[in-house]
Amino acid sequence: MSTKKPRICYTKPSITELEVAYAADAAANGWGDRCYDYIVRFEDGFRKHLAVNHAIATSSCTGAMHMGLAALGIGPGDQVILADTNWIATAAPLVHLGATPVFVDILADSWCIDPADAERHITPKTKAIIATHIYGNLCDMERLLDIGRRHGIPIIEDAAEAIGSVWHDRRAGSMGLFGTFSFHGTKTLTTGEGGMFVTSDADLFERVLTLSNHGRARGQIKQFWPDEVGFKYKMSNIQAALGCGQLERIEGLIARKREILASYAGKLAACHGISLNPEEAGTVNGAWMPTAVFDRDMGITREMLRQAFSEADIDARVFFHPLSSLPMFAEKRGNRNAWDIPERAINLPSYHDMTDEEIGRVTDVILGLIESHAGEPILAKSA
């Protein structure tokens, strides 16, 4: 009889009867005059959750970013500064608009954009700085907003991974000129695919609202009359219904993510040389993706980690490659942290229903790898 333990996925959504009921109602009844009911409800609930004035549900975070940047008039000849450590979805809209992404380094502790390096790269062509709250970690928004004020440059928040993260009583995504969120199936709150554009700027909201509806302004009285070429990044009513159910459970979903990160921290506390997602005083880390970064002198590499987790049938993810290492961009090896950290880091599984035994299986892989590499035991493994 096989004693093989089941595979541990790196993430999967938490879906209950509440979300299923809402989605079924939207599928059965959300048509005609009711085709936007759940969308409006989801937008309003998310707006209130973030304490912002406006929210527009979108088909993806990428779409939300694309429309926000387009609404600012960013295009050919313009430059936008962002961290080299990012998923390509943050840079792709810039390329589509004909603008130039300027990649800067990250901080060694938060893995988020280095404000000083961002400021050093400002030129007369700089039209915005994007602050990506990577893996739920928070950018230094106080410094970035100050830089933005002094240079007259908007700060944009890519909060795709930061639902639940809070910077001194302000939620991630609510502090910049606009913020964007992802509701991909891997995220803390999911609609399967989907995203949200948020802002408290009334004029920007109206501009994006028009762009989001194929360029049809809501004040236009002619039917099917676009005033310009816009976009089609709408969320479906059925997706929004899922989101409404998730939003009712949001505090519990965030709390569980934080519990999993805390459990990892506890199990690895006696093992020096490993850094997990930080939480500075006065902040809350939404803990979307627990990540372990190993000190360089430990000699633990990404490939060693990938192989060890694969052999244990655990689906761990690699840390984002620097965007400037990808074939479509010019290399910037001067971004030392962005190039160095991915070589000795791994994303750890963190789905909501993980058991303590499963978390122990994950940490046992790490401890076993360290012991085999160091040639001596580190601490007792899980029972």
Side-chain angles (χ1 to χ4, degrees):
M1 183 175 178
S2 175
T3 59
K4 183 179 179 180
K5 296 180 179 179
R7 181 171 178 77
I8 296 178
C9 300
Y10 82 88
T11 187
K12 53 187 175 182
S14 172
I15 303 296
T16 67
E17 292 182 2
L18 176 65
E19 289 90 343
V20 172
Y22 283 167
D25 177 58
N29 305 303
W31 311 102
D33 291 342
R34 294 190 57 194
C35 69
Y36 296 116
D37 284 6
Y38 279 106
I39 296 173
V40 172
R41 178 173 163 185
F42 185 38
E43 289 172 339
D44 189 55
F46 198 78
R47 174 184 64 78
K48 292 176 179 175
H49 173 72
L50 281 190
V52 295
N53 294 340
H54 308 286
I56 300 173
T58 60
S59 57
S60 67
C61 183
T62 311
M65 181 65 73
H66 195 171
M67 290 192 296
L69 294 169
L72 294 180
I74 290 173
D78 295 334
Q79 297 177 350
V80 174
I81 295 169
L82 64 157
D84 209 350
T85 297
N86 257 301
W87 177 227
I88 196 169
T90 309
L94 294 168
V95 177
H96 292 316
L97 290 168
T100 301
V102 177
F103 303 128
V104 301
D105 208 359
I106 58 173
L107 297 171
D109 53 357
S110 69
W111 323 322
C112 292
I113 190 169
D114 180 339
D117 200 30
E119 187 166 20
R120 281 193 292 270
H121 282 79
I122 292 174
T123 73
K125 295 182 179 181
T126 303
K127 301 302 179 185
I129 297 173
I130 299 177
T132 300
H133 303 297
I134 203 79
Y135 303 140
N137 302 349
L138 286 154
C139 296
D140 189 334
M141 291 306 296
E142 183 177 353
R143 291 178 65 189
L144 289 169
L145 291 171
D146 177 63
I147 290 169
R149 282 189 294 267
R150 288 189 285 105
H151 291 272
I153 298 170
I155 305 300
I156 296 163
E157 287 181 87
D158 175 1
E161 304 169 356
I163 290 174
S165 297
V166 181
W167 175 270
H168 299 279
D169 299 324
R170 300 182 69 185
R171 292 192 181 275
S174 70
M175 295 169 277
L177 179 60
F178 72 82
T180 61
F181 289 85
S182 172
F183 306 132
H184 184 265
T186 60
K187 298 302 190 290
T188 300
L189 183 158
T190 187
T191 58
E193 286 281 0
M196 192 77 76
F197 170 91
V198 300
T199 186
S200 288
D201 186 293
D203 292 336
L204 183 62
F205 166 69
E206 289 295 339
R207 184 82 187 99
V208 173
L209 191 65
T210 296
L211 288 174
S212 73
N213 193 25
H214 284 303
R216 294 184 290 181
R218 64 173 170 175
Q220 177 57 257
I221 61 175
K222 295 180 182 179
Q223 280 192 320
F224 296 105
W225 184 272
D227 296 289
E228 60 184 308
V229 175
F231 299 96
K232 180 65 171 180
Y233 286 134
K234 284 183 175 292
M235 176 181 284
S236 75
N237 204 42
I238 296 174
Q239 288 175 298
L242 278 173
C244 287
Q246 292 268 282
L247 198 54
E248 289 185 23
R249 301 174 52 223
I250 187 62
E251 295 304 333
L253 293 172
I254 294 167
R256 181 56 189 149
K257 282 286 191 175
R258 288 176 50 75
E259 287 173 358
I260 292 170
L261 175 60
S263 182
Y264 277 127
K267 292 179 184 298
L268 295 172
C271 186
H272 302 295
I274 299 178
S275 300
L276 298 176
N277 307 56
E279 187 171 80
E280 299 296 328
T283 72
V284 175
N285 193 314
W288 170 63
M289 183 63 69
T291 299
V293 176
F294 296 75
D295 287 356
R296 175 158 289 283
D297 59 10
M298 295 179 72
I300 303 295
T301 68
R302 172 176 59 201
E303 294 311 312
M304 292 167 61
L305 289 159
R306 288 182 63 185
Q307 181 177 349
F309 278 112
S310 178
E311 291 173 353
D313 209 14
I314 296 172
D315 188 14
R317 260 181 33 160
V318 300
F319 196 99
F320 286 136
H321 305 283
L323 291 178
S324 69
S325 71
L326 301 179
M328 66 288 292
F329 300 117
E331 284 192 0
K332 287 195 68 175
R333 290 182 177 270
N335 293 333
R336 294 175 58 187
N337 290 327
W339 279 73
D340 175 52
I341 291 173
E343 300 296 326
R344 49 188 175 87
I346 198 79
N347 296 152
L348 306 178
S350 62
Y351 56 91
H352 293 89
D353 296 333
M354 279 192 84
T355 64
D356 191 63
E357 186 271 337
E358 288 172 325
I359 295 172
R361 280 179 59 191
V362 174
T363 54
D364 281 353
V365 171
I366 293 174
L367 297 174
L369 181 59
I370 294 173
E371 288 177 9
S372 64
H373 192 66
E376 57 185 36
I378 305 298
L379 56 104
K381 297 181 184 178
S382 301

